[in-house]
Amino acid sequence: MPSLSRAESTARGASIAVESYHVDLDLTGGGERFRSQVTIRFTATGTETFAEVKPAELLAVRLNGVDLDPAALDDNRLALTGLVEENTLTVEAEMAYTNTGEGLHRFVDPADGETYLYAMSFLDDVQRIFAAFDQPDLKAPVTLSVTAPPHWTVAANADLAAQPGPGRWEFAPTLPISTYLFSLIAGPWHVRRDEHDGVPLGIYCRRSLAEHLDADAEEIFTVTKQCLDRFHRLFDERYPFGKYDQAFVPEFNAGAMENPGLVTFRDDYVFRSAVTDTQRELRATTIAHEMAHMWFGNLVTMRWWDDLWLNESFAEYLGTRVTAEATRFDQAWTTFAMRRKAWGYAADQRPSTHPVAPDELSDAAEALLNFDGISYAKGASVLRQLVAWLGDEPFLAGLNDHFSRHRFGNATLADLLASLGSASGRDLAGWAQAWLRAAQVNTLRAEVALDADGRYREVAVLQTAPSTHPVLRPHRIGVGRYAVDGSADRFEVDLDPSTDGGRTVLDRLAGEPASAVLLPNDGDLTFAKIRLDPASFDAVPLLLPRLTDPLARALLWGEALDAATDGERPVMAVVELIGEALPTETEVIIAEDVLALSRSLVDRYLDPSMRQTALAVIDKACRRMLDTALAGGSMQLAAARGRIAATTDAALLTGWLDGRGVPDGLAIDTELRWKILGRLVVLGAAGAAEIEAEATADRSAAGAEHAARCRAALPDPAAKQAAWEMIVTDTTVSNRLIEATATGFWQPEQAELTAEYVPRFFADMPAMARLRTPWVADEVAKLAFPRYAVAQPTREAAAALLSRDDLTPGLRRVITDADDDLRRALVARTAVAATTA
């Protein structure tokens, strides 16, 4: 289907204005289709335009009282001619339910056989639900009516206005919203209700998850209320969309979607087993992130997708900020530094890097590719840097002016900069050019020279940029001086990119006694990779156990991981640091992310002959953590998961499944059982019978996904063949089951078994990508890439595929980025080989 271009959007936005949508959906038919009717009232200054619709069958089209031929539908385009000043368009269609998490997704719960529906209209999939002028700057009120089974619950963006009879729901008109924000849930949902500060609150989940939602309802409502209060203190404009419902829905592609009045979340956030505080914090920051969108995205919406950062960067920044300021998760910036920025740094260094605010995105399909670590994590980091530079008061004043000027309308980068510039009295054009219009990341290197007495003769921070994007930027950073006992002194400094080739001398340190560790970007105020001087790096193992600031610890771990990723230090140096320092870590997010991020290095960047040695070190570190962790606490669970992933002791894991040798306080619950079983399957110590037994005991949607992942991981040729056929050809199963299968397929322990599938990946992916919707196809391709085949022939196969001209944009980007990751892994292996030769 053709993707709406920016030029088409601009032309249509200039020629029509939408006054209202009246949508009527009948959900009482069979399991394949539903009935959709929409009446759109709009004004026009020209005589022709087009609407979009993606029907299973287009039944009728009437424009200004005249029937149009449904056969005139061209792909998803419905041409409209003979327009007058005031127009009415009615479109009736049979629409198809989806199993891809897009349009109107239909899910049958394996736990109890109940059916659930939810709408996902983003990015341009409202067309799968009703005909529309599907672009973000044609905002209009939506009035929805729904016919559904009488025993169901139906909720939407707006309040229920009337229920004239059993099985009929009529909703009030929404405030003006973009089409991609249309939301609906229908089914026998379990609901909890509350109210805060005049705002009605609701949370929904499937009935089979009711007991788990009930267990966490108080925490979810508390976080929601705390965030709402904080946003009301930050912004002059109160939350404007009436009720605030949050629905946890099955098989959701994203983490959540910010539909006003009815936010949708993946229902993995309804925890059915023990979780760490990191997972609870992630749920809290997601709640705050989506709430931030009520202002950035919903109240004021970007005009076109090239200003996506006005949505996602601000929601990412404010979500983290408000979580840290308003909830019990006051270390949210540590999590951001450890996890989210690692995602942003990786995305910004790939061939597909792009500016936070690109000059232009040609169409909606290209926009979908930019929902990445740059638009989210880098953009949020850039905003944090802007606050450090402008000051918080002018920053918030500028935001409030922006809301006042453009409420219920659309805005651009220029609009926001005008408000911020007016509030701060600064010209932001140069700042925006360096930070928002230019791609790639700077590296800040500490350069230290000592005199004979161990005092600083000179300390400088050298800013560099890659040759492909040679942009140096103004940075306001903190510089931390740490003694081995953990005591610290910190000051801020501005790095001038125009001085001495990006080299800034820290004159105030001349003559001062040298610290054990000198940490650039202490406080994590800017978006830049850092490198310690050699003496500081050598002192890190001594400092980490004594350093009380978790954010500083996160930065030091991040520096070590990033240097190994770049091939500047051997991966075993990180492994050794894990063995020495991780068992003393007290912040669970740091422990979890060090284990997760280092695992990719061990499995891909480390010479395979050293892998077992590295895993043994990590296993020992996790064992030490288990020995000292509080029974039943988050760190104990994090350590147990780390040990399960690293150990090769099948007897230990089998014993845990059977209840033998389990650390006191550790619950071997449903989720942990699946994690253990998955590792046993990879080790060849459990098979199809054990998977089937576990799936029989856990007849849930999550259980089905775990079982699919485990079946794909079986070290058996027949199992691999079945999994591969599912990945590349099966459209009958849902998005999440396909993704689970792709996740389990490649295992570093199974390189010989899966070797034949390396060339098959490159042969089969183009057809797979055309078979699936772009969102699902791109995710499947990413997960199914042969990431452990770190060898030059894999790169050559990637190059051959990329030379073709028939790849979808998403697949081309996936292959390009995955190949670049392979290049980096090969560089790291080569660098270590060279130093050990």
Side-chain angles (χ1 to χ4, degrees), residues 381-601:
S381 302
V382 168
L383 290 174
R384 197 173 192 212
Q385 172 67 188
L386 179 61
V387 172
W389 184 54
L390 287 184
D392 201 44
E393 187 174 338
F395 176 73
L396 292 175
L399 299 192
N400 282 310
D401 180 72
H402 180 69
F403 298 145
S404 176
R405 291 175 183 271
H406 306 288
R407 64 191 306 271
F408 301 115
N410 298 83
T412 65
L413 167 64
D415 294 326
L416 179 67
L417 292 180
S419 289
L420 289 171
S422 176
S424 65
R426 296 199 184 196
D427 182 357
L428 298 181
W431 177 89
Q433 186 63 37
W435 277 110
L436 300 178
R437 295 300 197 194
Q440 261 282 358
V441 59
N442 300 127
T443 300
L444 307 180
R445 296 180 182 273
E447 297 184 339
V448 174
L450 302 180
D451 62 21
D453 298 323
R455 294 178 178 273
Y456 290 126
R457 185 171 72 247
E458 184 182 79
V459 178
V461 176
L462 176 64
Q463 178 184 177
T464 60
S467 58
T468 53
H469 296 84
V471 177
L472 301 183
R473 299 177 173 91
H475 296 266
R476 173 161 292 180
I477 66 168
V479 177
R481 297 175 56 201
Y482 290 90
V484 172
D485 65 4
S487 59
D489 172 63
R490 181 176 178 272
F491 62 93
E492 291 187 8
V493 63
D494 289 323
L495 305 183
D496 186 345
S498 64
T499 302
D500 195 17
R503 189 173 188 269
T504 302
V505 177
L506 308 183
D507 293 322
R508 64 180 292 170
L509 294 183
E512 292 289 322
S515 305
V517 172
L518 186 76
L519 177 59
N521 199 28
D522 196 14
D524 202 30
L525 296 180
T526 197
F527 185 81
K529 291 150 59 82
I530 60 171
R531 289 293 183 268
L532 303 178
D533 63 277
S536 291
F537 177 75
D538 290 342
V540 167
L542 298 174
L543 175 61
L544 279 174
R546 300 171 177 85
L547 185 56
T548 59
D549 180 4
L551 180 54
R553 296 199 304 274
L555 293 172
L556 291 172
W557 278 111
E559 192 270 358
L561 290 160
D562 188 65
T565 301
D566 285 352
E568 294 184 22
R569 297 197 201 107
V571 173
M572 281 305 295
V574 175
V575 173
E576 291 163 3
L577 186 61
I578 290 172
E580 294 178 65
L582 197 64
T584 65
E585 181 55 57
T586 57
E587 196 72 26
V588 66
I589 175 61
I590 295 178
E592 287 185 301
D593 274 18
V594 167
L595 290 171
L597 295 171
S598 64
R599 188 55 187 268
S600 176
L601 293 175

Side-chain angles (χ1 to χ4, degrees), residues 245-327:
D245 287 342
Q246 297 173 105
F248 297 88
V249 301
E251 298 184 331
F252 204 59
N253 284 318
M257 182 63 201
E258 65 268 19
N259 320 296
L262 181 59
V263 181
T264 42
F265 297 81
R266 60 168 51 207
D267 63 11
D268 307 66
Y269 285 126
V270 179
F271 305 130
R272 64 190 194 125
S273 292
V275 294
T276 65
D277 263 2
T278 303
Q279 291 166 276
R280 293 187 180 278
E281 182 192 287
L282 176 59
R283 182 172 66 189
T285 55
T286 304
I287 289 171
H289 177 112
E290 303 311 318
M291 193 178 291
H293 276 306
M294 299 305 139
W295 288 265
F296 276 101
N298 299 359
L299 177 67
V300 181
T301 309
M302 69 216 155
R303 186 163 296 161
W304 179 245
W305 298 105
D306 44 19
D307 276 321
L308 168 67
W309 81 288
L310 289 175
N311 280 19
E312 298 304 344
S313 298
F314 276 89
E316 183 86 358
Y317 166 76
L318 289 163
T320 305
R321 171 177 172 162
V322 167
T323 301
E325 292 175 349
T327 76

